[in-house]
Amino acid sequence: MWALMDLTSAVLSSTPMPEVELETLFSGRPQPHQRSKRSWVWNQFFVLEEYTGTDPLYVGKLHSDMDRGDGSIKYILSGEGAGVVFTIDDTTGDIHAIQRLDREERAQYTLRAQALDRRTGRPMEPESEFIIKIQDINDNEPKFLDGPYVATVPEMSPVGTSVIQVTATDADDPTYGNSARVVYSILQGQPYFSVDSKTGVIRTALMNMDREAKEYYEVIIQAKDMGGQLGGLAGTTTVNITLSDVNDNPPRFPQKHYQMSVLESAPISSTVGRVFAKDLDEGINAEMKYTIVDGDGADAFDINTDPNFQVGIITVKKPLSFESKKSYTLKVEGSNPHLEMRFLNLGPFQDMTTVHISVEDVDEPPVFEPGFYFVEVPEDVTIGTTIQIISAKDPDVTNNSIRLFTPHQLICIPLRTSSKGLSPPVDGYSIDRGSDPGRFFYVDITTGALMTARPLDREEFSWHNITVLAMEMNNPSQVGSVAVTIKVLDVNDNAPEFPRFYEAYICENAKAGQLIQTVSAVDQDDPHNGQHFYYSLAPEAANNPNFTVRDNQDNTARILTRRSGFRQQEQSVFRLPILVADGGQPVLSSTGTLTIQVCSCSDDGHAVSCSPEAYMLPVSLSRGALIAILACIFVLLVLVLLILSMRRHRKQPYIIDDDENIHENIVRYDDEGGGEEDTEAFDIAAMWNPREAQAGGAPKTRQDMLPEIESLSRYVPQTCAVSSTVHSYVLAKLYEADMDLWAPPFDSLQTYMFEGDGSVAGSLSSLQSATSDSEQSFDFLTDWGPRFRKLAELYGASEAPAPLW
């Protein structure tokens, strides 16, 4: 049986078990079967941790009843730490610890022991398990694993308000002695805070702690084991406590009076100035709300709160005028929107200040009255017609009309007196060319009369939106503007016309009254009562025996046949002129042509052939045969041309005739010049300026011929003598110069009226002679004999052609 002996510490026995009496194992008497007993109940050793000696630490001794001390028993140790941490003497059974033990690293080891016969190696005892427990000593101080701590508590909190709980842990065995029993105390932070010694809860210890006086606190807490007794180990941690803000401070204006100024030209919502009410609180407790509670400027100014800086921003609410009011007074209130009831006794949480605002005078641009113009003008208005008077005035000047210095003239303006004394003159009117790129309008620089500068066409531009400017003379940056909307009214200046080319066909077997085509017209005009067109045959075809026009009274017309029996061989195409007139004033009309082809049709009315040549071909001649005949004719023509070409290019003899030798030909010219008289054929000065040539004396003429037409310069009318106003005349001439691509690029008046329409000589051009209304008769050529018969046939009277309708 096993025995465990511990010479260094008391042996603690566990549950006792009955002993086993050992009998002689080798007796010959049979023994009754019974359970063996052990002499000792053993299961654990105890050994202190942190042994600092140099020799191995003796743990205990193992002994078997079978060991008689002769060394025949061999003890073997196995299990956790065997051979590394613990060793055993195999003869004596002594157990030693060869390494330093730490209970906090490992509290116990489980090992197994066995006794063997040294000679045979046979087990003498069954293997037994035992435990070596490490006994604790106070070798670890308490530690704050979550430190340092950060906490927040509202300012002005009552005494005893919980702030935070701190916790320290001790690695020693809490079941053995007081090594792990921790007690808390405060080393730094009194008298503001206290700590519970058992729980570690930190509480406020002073009333009325003010954040505005002191906001941050550093508290040091100590935790000591052994119940705080002398010799215990201790650990510390830091707790950073911040006082959070509450609304315990009312706002106050550092200034009770503010003086500000603003220009009278300041736009709406522009900033005038800022007011500030100081609040010692922060965050939501320092938010401000500014309002204007009184004063004569409550309608002219507004105040808003800047959420970032908590200042009151005073802005312009409506337009200001120095001439109307020069100063304003405001009563501004600043208050906290978020209040705490328990601090109302510290109030009131609002304050008042006075703001004086002075309006400063500025040189304002001219102002148009009214601020918008709408003008209606007919499109046939003549150039230079005044369509509207634009009016503007300078608000800084009393009864001062607008004038302008122009590059061509200087208009002197008497200065008028105003509330500021003498006021400078104001520049005049002009049109922003960006709004009128086509330069259709012109504004008088002195009177503001808006006039037309070019012909208007509603069909091209029905609306014009222009901007009229007025600028001061001494300050060009002061420019006033006004929008002018011009609606071009329609007049009946466009004749209706066919929208496309109309072409139809009729069958040879068509009946009288049969519908051929329905026509319609378009008109670019837009009358108030809508379009209404009237259709009829043109006057030259009014008595047309073939076709007639029926007006449908819905802006369309039907073309009907008047007879039957049309024959393609007689006339294959009819061109019917149709007159289309509108209902405007004056009535305008145009003539359109309907082309009608006569076709042979099938029984169901579909056109088969509209070409009259088809009737001239033999019935038995097919198309293939016709192509073959044409090909033969073409080949014959090619052969004829080839033969003629070969005859022309026959070889010429190599003998050169003396008459054909061009190197020895002499060309004679028998023409004789005019001699000295030829220098007087014309005067080149007359081509430069006919009037100067006449002023220098009698004109030089050719002596060999008489002038047929005298100089026409004296018949030239003086175009500068106009009956209209100067503005209308200049605008008309300006428009003519703009439209003339060959006009010189400088301001001059060129007169070319020596021939052409309106001159004494009339037109000398033959370009329009074919279309002239007055036709010259050449019937006298027939009386000149056979030699002029061809000319008489070309230019003489001829029979009228047959009508096409």
Side-chain angles (χ1 to χ4, degrees), residues 257-277:
H257 297 279
Y258 287 86
Q259 186 68 39
M260 301 178 184
S261 61
V262 60
L263 298 176
E264 63 172 336
S265 60
I268 296 176
S269 300
S270 60
T271 301
V272 178
R274 292 171 172 81
V275 296
F276 174 65

Side-chain angles (χ1 to χ4, degrees), residues 464-508:
H464 296 271
N465 296 300
I466 65 174
T467 301
V468 178
L469 308 176
M471 181 174 62
E472 289 187 5
M473 180 188 307
N474 62 334
N475 190 359
S477 64
Q478 298 299 327
V479 179
S481 63
V482 66
V484 181
T485 298
I486 302 172
K487 180 180 180 181
V488 182
L489 302 178
D490 183 56
V491 296
N492 192 26
D493 59 346
N494 291 278
E497 57 186 10
F498 285 162
R500 59 184 178 87
F501 174 74
Y502 281 106
E503 186 175 12
Y505 74 92
I506 59 173
C507 297
E508 289 182 320

Side-chain angles (χ1 to χ4, degrees), residues 58-116:
Y58 182 75
V59 178
K61 183 178 180 66
L62 295 178
H63 183 71
S64 174
D65 291 344
M66 305 297 293
D67 188 2
R68 291 180 173 79
D70 56 358
S72 61
I73 301 299
K74 181 179 181 180
Y75 296 97
I76 297 177
L77 186 65
S78 63
E80 297 176 348
V84 179
V85 180
F86 300 101
T87 60
I88 188 172
D89 191 322
D90 61 354
T91 302
T92 62
D94 294 335
I95 300 175
H96 292 81
I98 60 176
Q99 288 189 7
R100 184 176 179 179
L101 302 177
D102 189 353
R103 189 201 68 85
E104 287 72 35
E105 293 182 1
R106 189 158 191 165
Q108 65 181 21
Y109 295 87
T110 301
L111 298 107
R112 293 180 300 277
Q114 192 174 21
L116 304 176

Side-chain angles (χ1 to χ4, degrees), residues 150-164 192-193 202-206 209-211 214-217 219 239-246 282 342:
V150 177
T152 301
V153 63
E155 63 174 331
M156 299 294 178
S157 296
V159 176
T161 301
S162 177
V163 179
I164 193 175
Y192 306 105
F193 301 95
I202 300 175
R203 303 179 185 274
T204 58
L206 189 66
M209 285 192 294
D210 192 1
R211 184 197 66 85
K214 186 175 182 180
E215 184 176 4
Y216 301 102
Y217 295 87
V219 179
V239 182
N240 296 312
I241 301 176
T242 302
L243 297 183
S244 61
D245 185 61
V246 297
E282 64 179 9
R342 60 191 179 113

Side-chain angles (χ1 to χ4, degrees), residues 273-286:
R274 292 171 172 81
V275 296
F276 174 65
K278 187 176 182 180
D279 193 328
L280 298 178
D281 297 323
E282 64 179 9
I284 191 174
N285 299 312

Side-chain angles (χ1 to χ4, degrees), residues 513-653:
Q514 181 175 333
L515 176 64
I516 300 175
Q517 180 73 39
T518 300
V519 296
S520 62
V522 294
D523 194 333
Q524 296 183 5
D525 294 325
D526 186 17
H528 295 289
N529 300 327
Q531 297 283 5
H532 187 75
F533 302 134
Y534 302 92
Y535 298 87
S536 64
L537 291 177
E540 61 269 20
N543 299 322
N544 188 285
N546 301 316
F547 307 98
T548 184
V549 176
R550 296 286 178 85
D551 196 331
N552 295 329
Q553 301 301 319
D554 60 352
N555 291 336
T556 62
R558 294 173 296 165
I559 311 301
L560 306 175
T561 58
R562 271 190 171 183
R563 65 179 179 89
S564 61
F566 292 92
R567 293 294 178 265
Q568 197 176 45
Q569 294 177 345
E570 296 177 359
Q571 187 170 350
S572 61
V573 178
F574 293 89
R575 291 178 176 84
L576 186 65
I578 301 174
L579 181 68
V580 185
D582 59 18
Q585 293 295 331
V587 177
L588 298 180
S589 62
S590 67
T591 301
T593 301
L594 171 62
T595 302
I596 305 173
Q597 288 187 338
V598 181
C599 302
S600 60
C601 301
S602 61
D603 295 336
D604 56 357
H606 294 288
V608 175
S609 174
C610 295
S611 176
E613 286 77 6
Y615 290 92
M616 300 176 62
L617 296 175
V619 178
S620 60
L621 189 61
S622 63
R623 182 173 297 178
L626 178 62
I627 295 176
I629 293 173
L630 294 176
C632 294
I633 294 174
F634 177 76
V635 172
L636 291 176
L637 290 176
V638 171
L639 291 176
V640 171
L641 293 175
L642 181 60
I643 293 173
L644 293 176
S645 177
M646 293 177 63
R647 288 183 177 181
R648 288 183 179 180
H649 292 80
R650 288 182 304 174
K651 294 182 178 180
Q652 300 291 336

